[in-house]
Amino acid sequence: DGVRGIIILSPPAVRERSQKDNRLPLILCVKNKGSYNAVGTLIRAYPEALDLQVDDKSTMDKSTIRSDFASWGVSGPIKKMLQRSTDDWKVVIEWEEEQKQYGQKVGALETQLKQDEARIELGEKKDKALLKKIRDLEAKHDAFEKVAMEKINALATALEVFQVSQSAKNTELKNDIEMTVAREVVSRQAFRGYTDDLKFLYERTAKASEDLQEQVAEMKVNQAMQESGL
């Protein structure tokens, strides 16, 4: 894990030789009895190192890890890794990368599937809640409609009773109006007769007054004539 962490932080480090003895990290790891995982991680990061010189500055020693590892006292599982050709390692690395990408895709799909399932579950919960609200609203609507119909029927009944009552009152009022009109006609006729009588009496009184005035005037004329000896 430590080796993998270093490679992640600084990938070029697997290709850099040490300043002390001019050795690649893979060579140092194998010679110092590094773990199986550490050796495998370094090979996968730089498989060509298996075929490079242990000391590329030496003109005499042309040995490589693959040619010299037997004298380093490495364990059996590590030997098998060191004996595998670089081309085989490249195939393995490519296959592992494909598997890694496939695993990542599968993981992403599983994550997406879980998210979709969660969304579906949430959607189902929302649908159930919405359905419940709809049913509650329908129940309230039915109850409201029932009360409304009861009120409408009560108003219709009250209106019918009012119309019957008002019709009777209208008939009674009509009769009263007709009676009043009839009485008014009679009263007017009686008043007209009374007026005519008064007019006749006035005219007769006026005529009697004129006659009386003429008689008085005539009597005065006669008296004047008698006094004058005519």
Side-chain angles (χ1 to χ4, degrees):
D1 291 341
V3 173
R4 185 178 292 107
I6 294 172
I7 294 173
I8 292 173
L9 291 174
S10 180
V14 295
R15 301 171 181 271
E16 295 176 358
R17 293 177 179 269
S18 64
Q19 295 180 354
K20 181 179 179 180
D21 50 12
N22 197 39
R23 300 291 188 266
L24 288 168
L26 176 59
I27 297 171
L28 295 174
C29 184
V30 173
K31 293 192 73 172
N32 291 302
K33 307 294 188 295
S35 68
Y36 178 86
N37 289 336
V39 174
T41 299
L42 289 169
I43 293 175
R44 286 173 173 80
Y46 188 30
E48 292 84 356
L50 291 169
D51 298 318
L52 297 177
Q53 286 181 241
V54 174
D55 183 0
D56 64 349
K57 291 183 178 181
S58 174
T59 57
M60 300 295 293
D61 184 5
K62 300 295 183 179
S63 62
T64 64
I65 295 177
R66 203 186 304 281
S67 64
D68 278 14
F69 72 85
S71 63
W72 296 346
V74 297
S75 62
I78 293 178
K79 282 182 181 181
K80 291 182 180 180
M81 286 195 295
L82 298 176
Q83 288 172 341
R84 181 177 287 170
S85 69
T86 302
D87 290 337
D88 286 347
W89 270 113
K90 289 181 179 180
V91 173
V92 170
I93 293 167
E94 184 178 356
W95 181 82
E96 288 178 346
E97 183 61 27
E98 289 176 355
Q99 292 300 307
K100 180 181 178 182
Q101 292 178 2
Y102 175 76
Q104 290 174 345
K105 289 180 180 179
V106 170
L109 289 174
E110 288 177 346
T111 301
Q112 184 65 43
L113 179 60
K114 290 179 180 178
Q115 292 175 350
D116 291 342
E117 289 175 345
R119 280 194 290 268
I120 291 171
E121 184 178 357
L122 180 60
E124 289 176 349
K125 289 181 179 179
K126 288 183 177 179
D127 289 343
K128 289 180 180 179
L130 181 60
L131 181 60
K132 184 178 182 301
K133 287 183 179 179
I134 291 173
R135 288 176 177 172
D136 291 342
L137 288 174
E138 288 177 345
K140 290 180 180 179
H141 174 73
D142 292 342
F144 172 79
E145 190 175 35
K146 181 180 178 182
V147 173
M149 287 303 299
E150 290 176 352
K151 290 183 178 180
I152 291 172
N153 292 332
L155 287 173
T157 302
L159 179 61
E160 184 177 356
V161 172
F162 172 76
Q163 287 175 340
V164 171
S165 174
Q166 191 64 32
S167 177
K169 290 181 179 180
N170 289 342
T171 301
E172 182 180 355
L173 181 60
K174 181 181 178 183
N175 294 334
D176 291 342
I177 292 172
E178 290 176 351
M179 291 178 64
T180 302
V181 170
R183 286 196 297 269
E184 182 69 20
V185 170
V186 172
S187 297
R188 286 183 179 180
Q189 290 176 350
F191 179 75
R192 186 178 296 112
Y194 175 72
T195 303
D196 290 342
D197 291 342
L198 288 176
K199 183 179 180 182
F200 174 75
L201 180 62
Y202 172 76
E203 290 176 351
R204 192 174 63 178
T205 302
K207 182 68 171 62
S209 179
E210 289 177 359
D211 292 342
L212 181 61
Q213 288 178 358
E214 289 178 357
Q215 290 177 4
V216 170
E218 187 178 353
M219 289 175 65
K220 287 181 178 181
V221 170
N222 290 332
Q223 184 179 358
M225 289 178 64
Q226 290 177 0
E227 289 178 352
S228 61
L230 292 178

